[in-house]
């Protein structure tokens, strides 16, 4: 039996390789990042384009949106992405036009927001952000792909997400979330440092409530993997004073400490947490593990319905579910209610800005 000519063998090999690549890689998805020219945007772009957010088999087309005064910086960021020669990156759109940015996007990372300035009243800040999120909700409502999933990062993140939900009624409420994964990761880090274990061996901390200084970092249900098996973090720490004091305040104030030290807010850790949030939401949480996400409250754990509140959740096939049946002690209940009250106040303030 004669062998095939070299050209035919090479052609057959190329066709086989192409089929393997096509079977491994998924069709590209479009990811919109608002406020893309900022510090977090600069940090998150290579993470998205390298597959840290949606996996190593998911090609992406990145849409970058920011205000007109940043158009030059957006253009430079696009050049750097192109110059990085990232295999999963199938296209980059850098624009200041919100309709173009929102066109057919599947996932949205909302970094854009009006920062609080010295002397600014709380209602003035809320009014600025309500206007931004009302306008962007309208654009997403008109132009985004059906079933697009949205993560709000810009503060006040919980209430910005709520405004987005109000003005994008065709987007399911379960598809609009806010970032508390940064606080969750900070809590994991604090426990790993305290116990001198790898952070990957700690799981199931909880951030309850608002992404603010009233948030409640809860280690009561956290688990640590040790050489003797899985143990309760609370039992290993064996110091309720630290768990109810320094642990909570360190996580709550970590952002302020970073701002004081570097004169800017967290960017690398925030970008990483946003990728973690989307990764677990879309690809699923490991069995026996939950994460913290700001989601639309349905009244679970006695938290008022109709606010965006951080709960422990598990994720599967792009859907999140609140972990049910956790035991809540009196200390935790008081902390959970305090941060819920703040969110209700923020909601009322935001709605007064709409009036």
């Amino acid at each position: 039996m004669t062998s095939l000519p070299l050209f035919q063998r090479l052609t057959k090999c190329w066709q086989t390789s192409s089929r393997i690549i096509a079977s491994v890689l998924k069709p590209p998805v479009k990811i919109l990042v608002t406020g893309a020219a900022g510090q977090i945007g600069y940090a998150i772009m290579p993470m998205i384009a390298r597959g840290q957010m949606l996996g190593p088999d998911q090609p992406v087309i990145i849409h970058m949106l920011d205000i007109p005064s940043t158009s030059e910086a957006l253009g430079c960021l696009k050049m750097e992405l192109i110059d990085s020669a990232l295999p999963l990156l199938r296209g980059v759109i850098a624009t200041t036009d919100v309709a173009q940015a929102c066109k057919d996007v599947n996932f949205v990372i909302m970094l854009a927001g009006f920062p609080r300035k010295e002397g600014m009243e709380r209602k003035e800040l809320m009014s600025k952000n309500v206007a931004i999120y009302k306008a962007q909700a309208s654009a997403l409502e008109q132009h985004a792909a059906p079933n697009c999933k949205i993560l709000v990062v810009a503060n006040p993140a919980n209430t910005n997400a709520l405004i987005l939900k109000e003005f994008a009624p065709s987007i399911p409420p379960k598809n609009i979330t806010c970032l508390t994964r940064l606080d969750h990761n900070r809590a994991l880090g604090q426990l790993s440092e305290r116990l001198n274990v790898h952070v990957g061996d700690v799981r199931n901390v909880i951030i309850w409530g608002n992404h603010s200084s009233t948030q409640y970092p809860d280690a009561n249900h956290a688990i640590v993997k040790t050489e003797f098996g899985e143990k309760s973090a609370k039992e290993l720490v064996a110091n309720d004073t630290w768990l109810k004091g320094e642990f909570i305040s360190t996580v709550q104030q970590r952002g302020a400490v970073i701002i004081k030290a570097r004169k800017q807010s967290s960017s690398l850790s925030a970008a990483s947490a946003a990728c973690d949030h989307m990764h677990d939401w879309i690809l699923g949480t490991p069995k026996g593990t939950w994460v913290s996400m700001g989601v639309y409250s349905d009244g679970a754990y006695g938290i008022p319905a109709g606010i965006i509140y951080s709960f422990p959740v598990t994720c599967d096939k792009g859907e999140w579910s609140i972990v049910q049946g956790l035991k809540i002690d009196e200390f935790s209940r008081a902390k959970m209610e305090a941060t819920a009250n703040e969110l209700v106040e923020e909601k009322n303030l935001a709605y007064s800005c709409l009036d």
Side-chain angles (χ1 to χ4, degrees), residues 293-307:
M293 289 173 56
V295 300
Y296 193 64
S297 173
D298 62 359
Y301 292 99
I303 300 304
I307 58 175

Side-chain angles (χ1 to χ4, degrees), residues 17-26 57:
S17 299
S18 297
R19 284 196 297 270
I20 292 171
I21 291 169
S23 68
V24 171
L25 291 181
K26 303 170 183 176
D57 60 346

Side-chain angles (χ1 to χ4, degrees), residues 7-25:
F7 174 76
Q8 290 184 19
R9 294 204 306 273
L10 290 173
T11 300
K12 189 173 182 179
C13 181
W14 177 84
Q15 290 172 338
T16 301
S17 299
S18 297
R19 284 196 297 270
I20 292 171
I21 291 169
S23 68
V24 171
L25 291 181

Side-chain angles (χ1 to χ4, degrees), residues 7-291:
F7 174 76
Q8 290 184 19
R9 294 204 306 273
L10 290 173
T11 300
K12 189 173 182 179
C13 181
W14 177 84
Q15 290 172 338
T16 301
S17 299
S18 297
R19 284 196 297 270
I20 292 171
I21 291 169
S23 68
V24 171
L25 291 181
K26 303 170 183 176
V29 295
K30 295 181 178 180
I31 302 173
L32 166 62
V33 180
T34 72
Q39 292 277 320
I40 301 176
Y42 195 84
I44 203 171
M45 292 304 169
M47 297 180 187
I48 296 173
R50 288 185 180 276
Q52 186 173 331
M53 179 178 288
L54 297 178
D57 60 346
Q58 180 59 72
V60 296
I61 299 169
I62 297 178
H63 292 207
M64 302 188 298
L65 173 69
D66 216 314
I67 57 177
S69 61
T70 68
S71 57
E72 189 173 354
L74 275 180
C76 289
L77 184 51
K78 179 178 179 177
M79 285 190 284
E80 289 207 64
L81 283 170
I82 292 169
D83 293 348
S84 298
L86 299 160
L88 290 175
L89 186 60
R90 298 302 173 86
V92 185
I93 294 173
T95 183
T96 60
D97 180 89
V98 67
Q100 182 187 14
C102 293
K103 182 66 175 173
D104 297 328
V105 293
N106 307 103
F107 304 101
V108 185
I109 313 297
M110 306 197 76
L111 308 178
F114 197 92
R116 188 164 193 166
K117 297 182 178 179
E118 188 175 354
M120 180 178 283
E121 293 294 330
R122 189 162 169 245
K123 184 168 184 177
E124 183 184 359
L125 175 66
M126 185 67 75
S127 180
K128 297 279 189 183
N129 281 292
V130 163
I132 291 170
Y133 278 81
K134 182 178 177 181
Q136 295 195 346
S138 177
L140 288 167
E141 174 84 3
Q142 295 178 58
H143 303 292
N147 205 39
C148 77
K149 288 181 164 56
I150 301 168
L151 168 61
V152 176
V153 178
N155 289 320
N158 300 59
T159 302
N160 284 343
L162 184 64
I163 294 300
L164 195 72
K165 178 248 171 211
E166 291 296 318
F167 289 94
S170 71
I171 299 175
K174 287 200 75 168
N175 285 16
I176 299 173
T177 65
C178 80
L179 186 71
T180 56
R181 185 60 176 268
L182 175 55
D183 310 301
H184 182 100
N185 288 351
R186 287 167 172 165
L188 291 174
Q190 288 304 303
L191 286 175
S192 72
E193 291 284 303
R194 179 78 179 189
L195 296 171
N196 195 28
V197 298
H198 189 272
V199 71
D201 291 331
V202 186
R203 73 176 196 276
N204 293 359
V205 297
I206 303 170
I207 303 298
W208 299 98
N210 199 2
H211 177 60
S212 75
S213 60
T214 69
Q215 66 175 262
Y216 171 43
D218 179 3
N220 286 314
H221 310 278
I223 299 294
V224 181
K225 184 170 71 175
T226 75
E227 60 182 315
F228 305 107
E230 293 189 338
K231 304 290 184 181
S232 161
K234 185 176 180 179
E235 291 178 8
L236 291 175
V237 170
N239 187 330
D240 272 3
T241 301
W242 183 81
L243 286 170
K244 292 181 176 180
E246 186 180 339
F247 168 70
I248 292 173
S249 62
T250 298
V251 177
Q252 288 174 334
Q253 300 297 330
R254 190 69 156 191
V257 170
I258 289 172
I259 289 173
K260 184 176 180 180
R262 73 187 294 260
K263 312 307 178 192
Q264 291 179 325
S265 61
S266 308
S267 44
L268 178 61
S269 57
S272 181
C275 285
D276 290 344
H277 176 114
M278 295 301 290
H279 178 277
D280 289 345
W281 185 8
I282 306 309
L283 300 180
T285 48
K287 186 176 180 179
T289 298
W290 63 64
V291 294

